[in-house]
């Protein structure tokens, strides 16, 4: 066969691994959720800002280009000026760049929020995507821990604005300085012990997953999992392990505050961290947020690389059923902390900052579990059918459609092959359209339209057995003058809404 006669190969439609298409219901759910979050942030006096999806790779800080391409972790490309650019992997590093670049114009403290997609060049897995949405709020230029306390209160208010009741969430607070003080107190201070400190912190972060016994193994020689894989431990001795486990095991902070202060006594960072925790506790309590809503919890370990002070986490405490059918606590849906060094990288001077990030997709899953999302039904559009294709008739159909839209009623004029009227009603049925507007030549001469109640018609079709009964059941179809179209459509839609309310009550 000649090259000329070869059929062109059909392109295979395929979604890149780690990415998802979003359907209408998910998009609407996200919009509903983010509008409620935005309302809380605005009430606290925060203003929106938007940064681009791409940043110069060195501005992101965590990942830097080597001779060929940046390290794994970010999606990158080289611009025509040979500079590496990367898709942002969070919303905090771009904010730091924005603040530094516009420092002379920005009013400090700078209180801002933003929502957007971030990208991770990582191996995808169940529930682990390479593109996902975050919603952040930050205060830059506020050195006092009252800014951190305010963030915790705003997180609590956000949870409740989303319909998560008290008792189903808690904002847990710790301080990186206290962690550093504990590590210094057990002899792991100084640059020489940086790697061992990181191993200890990672072990502490596994408390929820492995429990105290699992963490004890990771703090010591190491831990073997069920598959036989061995994770090397931090190599601490028994006394060191006991002190670390005491710290992460504190449940009642008030009852153990003195013992913790004694543990970090003599370490300047530790003593400073305890004082900051006590101040945050006092501030939130004075504002009416008790320990069931905002809790000082030394087991919180997050942001090992760039948090410098208070760290906090929003945790949902109710049970959900996982894919194995097991009851598990839902867990973290967001968190943050103080990152005083991030903006300073660009400035050569200290610039204090604190903020938190909400994982939108994970929080959306939680709200669906609680039945707090997608409850506002979206009604399909009223369908204006097409009976005749001449300019005058088409003009009428379009006029009806625009009148309905102008009255705030969702409507569409049929845009497919109008010559087979049955296809139009099938389309309306698949779209779950509530009403169909019909005008043929006879109705047009009289200045009338038919309004077909498709919801009622569908119900009647299951009850009516012959044509005579169908003709008698005219309740599913109304004939009105063109001038009364909008009012009648509104009445019929309200009647349908009332039926749904009764059915759900």
């Amino acid at each position: 066969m000649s090259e000329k006669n070869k059929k062109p190969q059909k392109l295979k439609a395929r979604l890149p691994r780690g990415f998802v298409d979003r359907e209408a219901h998910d998009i609407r759910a996200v919009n509903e959720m983010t509008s409620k979050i935005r309302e809380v942030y605005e009430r606290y006096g925060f203003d929106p800002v938007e940064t681009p999806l791409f940043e110069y790779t060195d501005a992101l800080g965590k990942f830097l280009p080597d001779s060929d391409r940046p390290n794994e972790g970010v999606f990158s490309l080289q611009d025509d000026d040979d500079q590496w650019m990367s898709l942002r992997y969070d919303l905090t590093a771009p904010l730091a760049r924005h603040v530094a670049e516009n420092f002379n114009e920005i009013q400090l403290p700078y209180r801002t929020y933003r929502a957007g997609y971030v990208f991770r060049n990582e191996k995808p897995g169940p529930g682990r995507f390479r593109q996902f949405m975050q919603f952040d709020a930050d205060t830059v230029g506020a050195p006092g821990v009252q800014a951190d306390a305010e963030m915790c209160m705003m997180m609590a208010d956000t949870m409740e604005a989303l319909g998560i009741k008290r008792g189903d969430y808690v904002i847990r607070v710790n301080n990186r300085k206290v962690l550093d003080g504990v590590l210094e107190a057990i002899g792991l201070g100084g640059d020489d012990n940086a790697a061992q400190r990181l191993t200890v912190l990672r072990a502490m972060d596994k408390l929820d997953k492995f429990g105290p016994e699992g963490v004890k193994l990771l703090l010591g020689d190491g831990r073997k999992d069920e598959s036989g894989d061995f994770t090397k431990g931090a190599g601490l001795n028994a006394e060191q392990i006991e002190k670390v486990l005491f710290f992460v095991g504190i449940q009642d902070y008030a009852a153990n505050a003195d013992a913790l202060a004694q543990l970090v006594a003599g370490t300047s960072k530790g003593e400073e961290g305890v004082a900051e925790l006590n101040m945050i506790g006092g501030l939130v309590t004075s504002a009416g947020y008790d320990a069931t809503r905002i809790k000082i919890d030394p087991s919180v370990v997050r942001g090992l690389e760039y948090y410098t002070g208070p760290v906090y986490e929003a945790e949902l405490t109710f049970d959900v059923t996982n894919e194995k059918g097991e009851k598990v606590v839902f867990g973290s849906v967001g968190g943050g902390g103080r990152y005083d060094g991030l903006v300073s990288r660009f400035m050569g001077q200290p610039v204090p900052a604190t903020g938190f990030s909400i994982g939108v997709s994970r929080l959306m899953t939680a709200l669906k579990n609680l039945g707090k999302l997608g409850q506002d039904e979206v009604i399909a559009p009223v369908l204006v059918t097409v009976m005749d294709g001449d300019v005058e008739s088409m003009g009428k159909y379009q006029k009806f459609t625009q009148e309905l839209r102008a009255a705030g009623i969702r409507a569409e004029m049929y845009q497919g092959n109008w010559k087979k009227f049955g296809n139009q009603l099938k389309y309306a049925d698949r779209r779950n359209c509530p009403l169909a507007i019909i005008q043929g030549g006879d109705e047009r001469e009289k200045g009338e339209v038919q309004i077909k109640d498709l919801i009622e018609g569908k119900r009647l079709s299951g009850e009516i057995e012959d044509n005579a009964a169908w003709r008698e059941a005219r309740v599913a179809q109304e004939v009105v003058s063109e001038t009364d179209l909008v009012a009648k459509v509104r009445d019929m839609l309200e009647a349908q809404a009332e039926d749904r309310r009764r059915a759900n009550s």
Side-chain angles (χ1 to χ4, degrees), residues 384 395-409 411-413 486:
V384 177
K396 282 274 191 182
Y397 304 141
Q398 194 66 67
K399 178 173 177 285
F400 298 153
T401 308
Q402 295 306 119
E403 285 175 348
L404 291 167
R405 290 169 175 166
I409 296 168
E412 68 174 85
M413 175 178 153
V486 171

Side-chain angles (χ1 to χ4, degrees), residues 343-386:
V343 182
S344 306
R345 292 190 307 121
F346 300 96
M347 301 294 297
Q349 65 185 71
V351 182
T354 187
F356 72 86
S357 179
I358 288 175
V360 171
S361 298
R362 183 163 173 78
L363 184 53
M364 185 172 75
T365 301
L367 294 173
K368 284 180 177 177
N369 269 280
L370 285 173
K372 300 292 185 183
L373 207 56
Q375 301 304 299
D376 295 338
E377 56 190 346
V378 177
I379 306 302
V382 172
L383 182 68
V384 177
T385 62
V386 175

